[in-house]
Amino acid sequence: MKFFIKNCHLDQEKTDCIVVNIFDSCRFSTALHYLDRCSNGHITSLLKLGDITGKTGELLMLYHVPNISAKRVLLVGCGEKDKITRSSVNKILKKTINMLKKISIKNVIYSFTELNINVKNNIYWITRFTILAIKKFLHTVIKINSSCKKSINLNIISFNFFEKNDLFTAKIALKHALAIDSGITSAKNISNLPPNICNPLYLSYQAQKLAQKYQDNIKVEIIDIEKMKKLGMNAYVAVGSGAKNKPFMSVIKYTGNSNNNKVIALVGKGLTFDSGGISIKPASNMHEMKYDMCGAAAVYGTLIMAAQLNLPLTIIGVLSGCENMLGSNSFRPGDVVTTMSGQTVEILNTDAEGRLVLCDSLTYVERFFPSIVIDVATLTGACVTALGESISGLFSNSEDLSRELKYASQETDDKVWRLPLLEEYKKGLHSPIANISNIGSSKAGAITAACFLSYFTKKYNWAHLDIAGTAWKSGSKGATGRPVELLCQFLLNQIKEYKLY
Ligand code: BES
Ligand code: MN
Ligand code: ZN
């Protein structure tokens, strides 16, 4: 699928379809006025029939409009012009795409620039947002070994801008959108794979493929179980000990051309399957625990975006691949392990495994002297209870980092809500025989888990994103690719000289 940004004469374009806006009470957009004038008022006379009024999501397809070279003109109702929001644009695009998919349209020109969602740099955001929404609505879950590929005809999508001055900004938005989409799509695809294909070794191969593809910017180091043992990553090793598929931690080192030597580390929970271990999970929906690697997938996707845009940053991406299984070699409730940090942990529940894998990964990244560390994890069912499926949990030991993440979240609509890291919850992790235990007594399970991690993140500015509710949707929709867009935006915002939009 190819996207183009252009400034053309809409009436002269030989395309399958032009998509234009119409606002409430039949108010014409600039593009619609233009086409109406070219057709000597043909559109005005058609609209007198009253088939469309301009309410959000209404559609009307016109064929053979006089003096217009395009085969079709699709009018899309957008509601009141000054009340357009991101969610109404989303609705409009979903309807439009479904219509274009039904009839076999190959190429289309959108003339959408008049949609104003009331943000600074509307041209940048409306363009980026539209492209990402189109990509989202066209994405389908890949079937394993299926020969019947769903064919989508739509392959050329152009955006028309009336102002030549807008082209520069729109082209940047296009470039960013395509890179972010590569990140989101890669994260979704890898997350949707079944756990017998996507295991920790598979994750490490994907990381190594990145190093081959982006030889100048990416180096990958794989930490296998032997290396983990040497490093003293005993909590991580304990989680992996019951599984035939051995743990692998993939460390992706991305260096863009920059004199900025600030290091940003992104650490993703990569449990390719979480059975719960000896503290086994109930059978219902256990298959969904293949998604327990969505944090690692998000980190992987974010690095793809960074490499594709050649961002002038230094980023360490860690995919903490591991499988939590039952076996005679499994770790048990009651075991005490010494983590890489030297702190000891009493395991009281083997299903609270994500924090054990992450604590050693978070200690491991200290060697890069990061100024910012963000971990991303499907960490607790309790976070789903607290915030539901639309909002990821945010925890941080830094006000600045927390503010920056919240800002990027608002810009992208990839929602987060900050929850507190209180001393009393930290105390709840008390163990009689070790420094801490891996579960607490509080019902605030998402906070307890974050507090556990905070014992291992004292040396740097750290944020934790609990994506248990947001990373996938139950049923056929699969992984959402969140929070790739949030992380990408956070990275873009780090590049001060990059304020092109
Ligand atoms: N991967 C799960 C968290 C999870 C559960 C994510 C449901 C998405 C949906 C995690 O490893 C886990 O099992 N957490 C336990 C912690 C508990 C034992 C303290 C949980 O949330 O029940
Ligand atoms: Mn678990
Ligand atoms: Zn888990």
Side-chain angles (χ1 to χ4, degrees), residues 269 274 281 289 292 349 351 353 378-381 439 468 472:
K269 173 177 173 183
D274 176 16
K281 285 181 179 295
M289 281 300 121
D292 214 16
N349 188 321
D351 198 12
E353 86 299 336
T378 48
L379 204 61
T380 63
I439 57 168
W472 78 91

Side-chain angles (χ1 to χ4, degrees), residues 428-448:
L429 290 164
H430 170 83
S431 159
I433 58 166
N435 293 123
I436 47 175
S437 66
N438 79 328
I439 57 168
S441 51
S442 165
K443 292 203 172 74
I447 300 182
T448 307

Side-chain angles (χ1 to χ4, degrees), residues 483-498:
V484 173
E485 197 180 353
L486 163 67
L487 293 172
C488 290
Q489 191 54 40
F490 173 82
L491 293 178
L492 286 172
N493 291 348
Q494 298 301 306
I495 307 163
K496 304 288 179 245
E497 69 269 29
Y498 223 65

Side-chain angles (χ1 to χ4, degrees), residues 148-165:
C148 63
K149 276 199 182 133
K150 267 196 193 157
S151 62
I152 290 166
N153 287 308
L154 203 57
N155 62 9
I156 296 178
I157 300 179
S158 310
F159 294 90
N160 183 50
F161 290 84
F162 285 102
E163 300 287 335
K164 279 214 170 97
N165 287 342

Side-chain angles (χ1 to χ4, degrees), residues 275-318:
S275 68
I278 300 295
S279 316
I280 193 168
K281 285 181 179 295
S284 74
N285 291 331
M286 203 205 269
H287 68 283
E288 289 194 354
M289 281 300 121
K290 71 169 187 177
Y291 292 118
D292 214 16
M293 40 61 73
C294 284
V299 169
Y300 167 73
T302 305
L303 274 124
I304 290 178
M305 169 272 184
Q308 201 166 312
L309 288 182
N310 203 356
L311 296 186
L313 294 171
T314 305
I315 312 166
I316 305 291
V318 177

